[in-house]
PDB file of all heavy atoms in Angstrom:
ATOM      1  N   ARG A 436       6.783   4.385 -10.056  1.00  0.00           N
ATOM      2  CA  ARG A 436       6.129   5.481  -9.341  1.00  0.00           C
ATOM      3  C   ARG A 436       7.134   6.323  -8.561  1.00  0.00           C
ATOM      4  O   ARG A 436       7.090   7.550  -8.587  1.00  0.00           O
ATOM      5  CB  ARG A 436       5.077   4.930  -8.371  1.00  0.00           C
ATOM      6  CG  ARG A 436       3.967   4.088  -8.994  1.00  0.00           C
ATOM      7  CD  ARG A 436       3.010   4.912  -9.833  1.00  0.00           C
ATOM      8  NE  ARG A 436       3.559   5.186 -11.166  1.00  0.00           N
ATOM      9  CZ  ARG A 436       3.156   6.169 -11.973  1.00  0.00           C
ATOM     10  NH1 ARG A 436       2.245   7.013 -11.565  1.00  0.00           N
ATOM     11  NH2 ARG A 436       3.682   6.336 -13.153  1.00  0.00           N
ATOM     12  N   LEU A 437       8.037   5.669  -7.863  1.00  0.00           N
ATOM     13  CA  LEU A 437       8.986   6.394  -7.020  1.00  0.00           C
ATOM     14  C   LEU A 437       9.968   7.225  -7.829  1.00  0.00           C
ATOM     15  O   LEU A 437      10.477   8.246  -7.351  1.00  0.00           O
ATOM     16  CB  LEU A 437       9.759   5.412  -6.135  1.00  0.00           C
ATOM     17  CG  LEU A 437       8.973   4.693  -5.039  1.00  0.00           C
ATOM     18  CD1 LEU A 437       9.889   3.724  -4.298  1.00  0.00           C
ATOM     19  CD2 LEU A 437       8.341   5.680  -4.066  1.00  0.00           C
ATOM     20  N   ALA A 438      10.243   6.787  -9.064  1.00  0.00           N
ATOM     21  CA  ALA A 438      11.233   7.482  -9.893  1.00  0.00           C
ATOM     22  C   ALA A 438      10.685   8.757 -10.534  1.00  0.00           C
ATOM     23  O   ALA A 438      11.450   9.536 -11.116  1.00  0.00           O
ATOM     24  CB  ALA A 438      11.756   6.538 -10.976  1.00  0.00           C
ATOM     25  N   LEU A 439       9.381   8.994 -10.425  1.00  0.00           N
ATOM     26  CA  LEU A 439       8.807  10.206 -11.005  1.00  0.00           C
ATOM     27  C   LEU A 439       9.349  11.448 -10.293  1.00  0.00           C
ATOM     28  O   LEU A 439       9.525  11.449  -9.076  1.00  0.00           O
ATOM     29  CB  LEU A 439       7.282  10.189 -10.883  1.00  0.00           C
ATOM     30  CG  LEU A 439       6.529   9.169 -11.740  1.00  0.00           C
ATOM     31  CD1 LEU A 439       5.052   9.166 -11.349  1.00  0.00           C
ATOM     32  CD2 LEU A 439       6.686   9.484 -13.215  1.00  0.00           C
ATOM     33  N   PRO A 440       9.621  12.509 -11.034  1.00  0.00           N
ATOM     34  CA  PRO A 440      10.057  13.761 -10.391  1.00  0.00           C
ATOM     35  C   PRO A 440       9.013  14.231  -9.379  1.00  0.00           C
ATOM     36  O   PRO A 440       7.809  14.038  -9.575  1.00  0.00           O
ATOM     37  CB  PRO A 440      10.163  14.734 -11.572  1.00  0.00           C
ATOM     38  CG  PRO A 440      10.404  13.859 -12.770  1.00  0.00           C
ATOM     39  CD  PRO A 440       9.594  12.621 -12.509  1.00  0.00           C
ATOM     40  N   GLU A 441       9.453  14.841  -8.330  1.00  0.00           N
ATOM     41  CA  GLU A 441       8.553  15.232  -7.246  1.00  0.00           C
ATOM     42  C   GLU A 441       7.398  16.097  -7.714  1.00  0.00           C
ATOM     43  O   GLU A 441       6.267  15.949  -7.246  1.00  0.00           O
ATOM     44  CB  GLU A 441       9.347  15.970  -6.157  1.00  0.00           C
ATOM     45  CG  GLU A 441       8.507  16.385  -4.977  1.00  0.00           C
ATOM     46  CD  GLU A 441       9.331  16.965  -3.844  1.00  0.00           C
ATOM     47  OE1 GLU A 441      10.541  16.656  -3.772  1.00  0.00           O
ATOM     48  OE2 GLU A 441       8.769  17.731  -3.046  1.00  0.00           O
ATOM     49  N   ASP A 442       7.654  16.993  -8.659  1.00  0.00           N
ATOM     50  CA  ASP A 442       6.614  17.924  -9.101  1.00  0.00           C
ATOM     51  C   ASP A 442       6.048  17.563 -10.473  1.00  0.00           C
ATOM     52  O   ASP A 442       5.445  18.407 -11.144  1.00  0.00           O
ATOM     53  CB  ASP A 442       7.171  19.355  -9.133  1.00  0.00           C
ATOM     54  CG  ASP A 442       7.608  19.828  -7.755  1.00  0.00           C
ATOM     55  OD1 ASP A 442       6.887  19.538  -6.782  1.00  0.00           O
ATOM     56  OD2 ASP A 442       8.670  20.467  -7.657  1.00  0.00           O
ATOM     57  N   ASP A 443       6.232  16.306 -10.881  1.00  0.00           N
ATOM     58  CA  ASP A 443       5.743  15.900 -12.201  1.00  0.00           C
ATOM     59  C   ASP A 443       5.133  14.500 -12.137  1.00  0.00           C
ATOM     60  O   ASP A 443       5.475  13.621 -12.923  1.00  0.00           O
ATOM     61  CB  ASP A 443       6.884  15.944 -13.231  1.00  0.00           C
ATOM     62  CG  ASP A 443       6.381  15.775 -14.659  1.00  0.00           C
ATOM     63  OD1 ASP A 443       5.207  16.075 -14.908  1.00  0.00           O
ATOM     64  OD2 ASP A 443       7.173  15.323 -15.513  1.00  0.00           O
ATOM     65  N   TRP A 444       4.205  14.294 -11.178  1.00  0.00           N
ATOM     66  CA  TRP A 444       3.531  13.009 -11.072  1.00  0.00           C
ATOM     67  C   TRP A 444       2.562  12.826 -12.230  1.00  0.00           C
ATOM     68  O   TRP A 444       1.927  13.787 -12.689  1.00  0.00           O
ATOM     69  CB  TRP A 444       2.766  12.920  -9.749  1.00  0.00           C
ATOM     70  CG  TRP A 444       2.123  11.577  -9.520  1.00  0.00           C
ATOM     71  CD1 TRP A 444       2.673  10.509  -8.897  1.00  0.00           C
ATOM     72  CD2 TRP A 444       0.805  11.179  -9.914  1.00  0.00           C
ATOM     73  NE1 TRP A 444       1.788   9.452  -8.874  1.00  0.00           N
ATOM     74  CE2 TRP A 444       0.636   9.833  -9.503  1.00  0.00           C
ATOM     75  CE3 TRP A 444      -0.239  11.812 -10.587  1.00  0.00           C
ATOM     76  CZ2 TRP A 444      -0.547   9.121  -9.731  1.00  0.00           C
ATOM     77  CZ3 TRP A 444      -1.410  11.100 -10.818  1.00  0.00           C
ATOM     78  CH2 TRP A 444      -1.555   9.771 -10.381  1.00  0.00           C
ATOM     79  N   LYS A 445       2.430  11.608 -12.702  1.00  0.00           N
ATOM     80  CA  LYS A 445       1.465  11.290 -13.754  1.00  0.00           C
ATOM     81  C   LYS A 445       1.025   9.847 -13.588  1.00  0.00           C
ATOM     82  O   LYS A 445       1.742   9.032 -12.985  1.00  0.00           O
ATOM     83  CB  LYS A 445       2.076  11.511 -15.136  1.00  0.00           C
ATOM     84  CG  LYS A 445       3.397  10.801 -15.364  1.00  0.00           C
ATOM     85  CD  LYS A 445       4.041  11.257 -16.659  1.00  0.00           C
ATOM     86  CE  LYS A 445       5.428  10.645 -16.813  1.00  0.00           C
ATOM     87  NZ  LYS A 445       6.120  11.130 -18.021  1.00  0.00           N
ATOM     88  N   PRO A 446      -0.145   9.490 -14.105  1.00  0.00           N
ATOM     89  CA  PRO A 446      -0.623   8.110 -13.974  1.00  0.00           C
ATOM     90  C   PRO A 446       0.327   7.118 -14.618  1.00  0.00           C
ATOM     91  O   PRO A 446       1.119   7.471 -15.500  1.00  0.00           O
ATOM     92  CB  PRO A 446      -1.984   8.141 -14.695  1.00  0.00           C
ATOM     93  CG  PRO A 446      -2.402   9.571 -14.651  1.00  0.00           C
ATOM     94  CD  PRO A 446      -1.126  10.359 -14.767  1.00  0.00           C
ATOM     95  N   PHE A 447       0.229   5.886 -14.190  1.00  0.00           N
ATOM     96  CA  PHE A 447       1.072   4.804 -14.705  1.00  0.00           C
ATOM     97  C   PHE A 447       0.802   4.583 -16.190  1.00  0.00           C
ATOM     98  O   PHE A 447      -0.342   4.521 -16.625  1.00  0.00           O
ATOM     99  CB  PHE A 447       0.768   3.529 -13.922  1.00  0.00           C
ATOM    100  CG  PHE A 447       1.656   2.361 -14.239  1.00  0.00           C
ATOM    101  CD1 PHE A 447       2.976   2.346 -13.848  1.00  0.00           C
ATOM    102  CD2 PHE A 447       1.147   1.259 -14.915  1.00  0.00           C
ATOM    103  CE1 PHE A 447       3.793   1.250 -14.118  1.00  0.00           C
ATOM    104  CE2 PHE A 447       1.941   0.157 -15.189  1.00  0.00           C
ATOM    105  CZ  PHE A 447       3.281   0.156 -14.791  1.00  0.00           C
ATOM    106  N   GLU A 448       1.867   4.480 -16.978  1.00  0.00           N
ATOM    107  CA  GLU A 448       1.743   4.282 -18.415  1.00  0.00           C
ATOM    108  C   GLU A 448       1.500   2.802 -18.718  1.00  0.00           C
ATOM    109  O   GLU A 448       2.261   1.940 -18.280  1.00  0.00           O
ATOM    110  CB  GLU A 448       3.029   4.751 -19.116  1.00  0.00           C
ATOM    111  CG  GLU A 448       3.049   4.517 -20.612  1.00  0.00           C
ATOM    112  CD  GLU A 448       1.900   5.206 -21.328  1.00  0.00           C
ATOM    113  OE1 GLU A 448       1.741   6.432 -21.143  1.00  0.00           O
ATOM    114  OE2 GLU A 448       1.158   4.506 -22.041  1.00  0.00           O
TER     115      GLU A 448
END
Side-chain angles (χ1 to χ4, degrees):
R436 301 290 80 200
L437 292 178
L439 291 172
E441 181 173 337
D442 298 319
D443 190 24
W444 184 90
K445 53 190 174 183
F447 186 71
E448 177 58 54

